[in-house]
Amino acid sequence: MWKLNQFNYNRRISSVVKIGNLLLGGNYPIRLQSMANTDTNDIEKSVAQCLRIVESGGELVRFTAQGVREAESLKLIWDGIRAKGCDVPLVADIHFNANAADVAAKFVEKVRINPGNYVGSVKIGDTSDYTDEEFEAEYQKVRARFIPFLEICKQHNSAIRIGVNHGSLSERMMNRYGDTSRGMVESCIEFLRICHEENFNDVVISMKTSNTVMMVQTVRLLVDEMAKENLHFPLHLGVTEAGDGEDGRIKSAVGIGALLADGIGDTIRVSLSEEPEAEIPVAKSLVSYISERENHKPIVAAENLLFDQYEYARRKTHAVGIVGDENVPVVLASKDGDFVISPDFILEHSENKVYSVAEIDLLLHDASEMKFLKMSFPELNPKLLGLFIERRDIVVLLTTNHLNGVGEQRAFFHTLLNAGCTVPVILCRNYAEKDLQQLQIKAAADLGVLFIDGFGDGIFIENEGQISAEEINSVAFGILQASRVRVTKTEYISCPGCGRTMFNLQTVIARIKARTSHLKGLKIGIMGCIVNGPGEMADADYGYVGAGRGKVSLYKKKECVERNIHENEAVDKLIELIKVNGDWHE
């Protein structure tokens, strides 16, 4: 049975699923996919966009099918791309409409269903607790509807994806498990058990949320629960509503990269609020970068038995100045720049000297209140451990040159945990990137997972390419925010859009950002429709959600406070709502 190795890259080997002519899982490459944002009934535009996704490297393409008509349109899209000589498998995305899933399964290679809304609740409008009998009765209702769908899939050789979204858990699961990872896992597992009982094995799973920490912990928990039941289905990874630009790339690389670093994941989609074909190069770079660590030199260390990969807990450290203890993780910069957000330390001007292990005697004679010791895991020895435990004026700058830097830096932290050592540690990585997007992806994948694991009291990124100090600094702060350990700017939880979106998502996001980007710490959800809107925005302070063609509803947390506003007025109304609630400042 596969088990996560904290230090050595070890890809989980899943069962193999056949999706048209594509084999996914097992030892096959991690597959790249995207989702169209065209109207599924617009066959010409849908075919054209599908071909652009494939040309950019996409291996599966998903279309929304909100009704039977859209499901039938998928057959015309399928015919259209085949006529162009393209054999990419198509995936139907289904919410709220099991009948549409039945139709789509006859025409496309894969159908995604959402357990949270596949079958309506038997207790709609009743918020009281479910009795065991009522909970079971609804399960039987799900089972009775799901098994005939599986039979259709068997007849037409269609695979399925059981796609659980944090933002759309069923009322029944919310009632019993709350808004939790356990609720997401239980929602998935009961569908998997039905598939197993019905001998239906062409199943892929996804567990998605806009919260990177919850996403990683939930997938880890699911993999563990599946292993206990001898289930080994492949995993599709993605961060929902990641946003656009730098924020979207960093947030996606933090969440997806963390799980790929664990060895988990068989197919990925980077969800950006941009054109779908823009997602594929990001996904390709991320997979390529993680795959480089295969067959790396083994890392030897003892895992701390109290470390919990399913529950966030920041490693306990003592404070050295503003570093460690309950202080937010700090940001270091090597040199000065025209910074939008100032780093906490600029080393070329800092009074805090950086020493190497070879200079330890000089460090011990330094009378300043804070000294930086730059070192890597192989340099750690019992003498240094004893020094870290004895002294309260040293901050470790943890570097790595190992092919699996994540594993080596994890080994350092587990060694400290085993020794009861509370020295604060700043995570350091050095790159040689000329392209800013590559730096965003690699640094986020390398460092985000460690912050999610509760490690690190700061971040220090160096780059030897032609990237400015301000750009590097922005990446560092972006990683901290995406990892949910330090908030320094407005956070936008925005979906990538699909055929359900009734307004120009990219234009709206740009307009909202232009008006609200100065509201540090505020979270604003921008959603094309209600599928995940209110649910994913539970973590947001305000929400802007498509309610129909040209219409928008506004939310405060999960509460809809104004419905069906004309889109021309909606941004102004959103600003008014923020002001009325006292969250606006000039």
Side-chain angles (χ1 to χ4, degrees), residues 68-312:
V68 170
R69 182 188 173 201
E70 287 77 13
E72 291 173 340
S73 292
L74 290 174
K75 175 64 168 79
L76 300 177
I77 296 171
W78 192 95
D79 289 340
I81 64 170
R82 296 296 180 269
K84 297 287 186 179
C86 177
D87 61 358
V88 67
L90 299 188
V91 185
D93 192 64
I94 308 292
H95 297 273
F96 304 111
N97 195 330
N99 293 334
D102 292 346
V103 173
K106 301 173 184 177
F107 301 138
V108 297
E109 288 83 358
K110 183 180 172 189
V111 180
R112 177 271 174 100
I113 62 163
N114 183 342
N117 55 39
Y118 181 68
V119 175
S121 171
V122 296
K123 285 171 70 73
I124 292 175
D126 183 350
T127 58
S128 62
D129 288 341
Y130 280 73
T131 65
D132 290 342
E133 291 77 14
E134 289 171 330
F135 195 86
E136 176 63 21
E138 185 150 340
Y139 169 70
Q140 292 301 331
K141 181 181 177 183
V142 168
R143 181 183 174 83
R145 186 65 187 84
F146 187 49
I147 290 175
F149 167 67
L150 294 181
E151 290 301 320
I152 295 172
C153 291
K154 288 178 183 178
Q155 293 169 19
H156 294 272
N157 297 315
S158 297
I160 69 170
R161 167 150 67 100
I162 297 174
V164 180
N165 278 18
H166 177 219
S168 53
L169 285 176
S170 70
E171 179 188 278
R172 167 172 161 264
M173 288 295 169
M174 287 283 288
N175 189 280
R176 177 150 297 193
Y177 298 103
D179 197 9
T180 64
S181 293
R182 174 58 64 181
M184 292 181 68
V185 170
E186 292 297 329
S187 183
C188 180
I189 284 286
E190 68 176 16
F191 274 73
L192 293 182
R193 288 177 184 139
I194 298 171
C195 291
H196 183 64
E197 291 164 8
E198 296 300 313
N199 196 31
F200 187 89
N201 299 312
D202 283 330
V203 181
V204 183
I205 307 159
S206 65
M207 312 289 280
K208 292 191 178 183
T209 170
S210 61
N211 179 330
T212 55
V213 178
M214 185 176 189
M215 171 208 167
V216 171
Q217 293 169 348
T218 301
V219 173
R220 287 173 176 171
L221 181 61
L222 174 69
V223 168
D224 190 47
E225 291 297 314
M226 280 201 298
K228 291 176 183 176
E229 300 196 23
N230 198 29
L231 302 174
H232 307 284
F233 297 111
L235 271 295
H236 166 84
L237 306 181
V239 179
T240 59
E241 289 77 47
D244 64 350
E246 177 176 86
D247 292 343
R249 283 156 176 78
I250 289 176
K251 192 171 185 179
S252 293
V254 165
I256 299 171
L259 290 165
L260 291 178
D262 285 353
I264 297 171
D266 303 282
T267 175
I268 72 169
R269 185 223 173 165
V270 173
S271 298
L272 300 176
S273 299
E274 302 174 19
E275 289 305 307
E277 53 267 35
E279 298 177 349
I280 300 299
V282 181
K284 189 181 298 184
S285 294
L286 183 55
V287 167
S288 174
Y289 183 56
I290 299 295
S291 298
E292 289 175 3
R293 61 195 66 173
E294 291 180 357
N295 303 314
H296 64 74
K297 182 180 178 181
I299 299 164
V300 180
E303 183 176 340
N304 181 264
L305 298 179
L306 297 179
F307 174 72
D308 188 350
Q309 63 174 329
Y310 310 122
E311 193 73 33
Y312 176 80

Side-chain angles (χ1 to χ4, degrees), residues 3 43 267 507 532:
K3 185 180 185 299
I43 309 304
T267 175
T507 300
N532 295 315

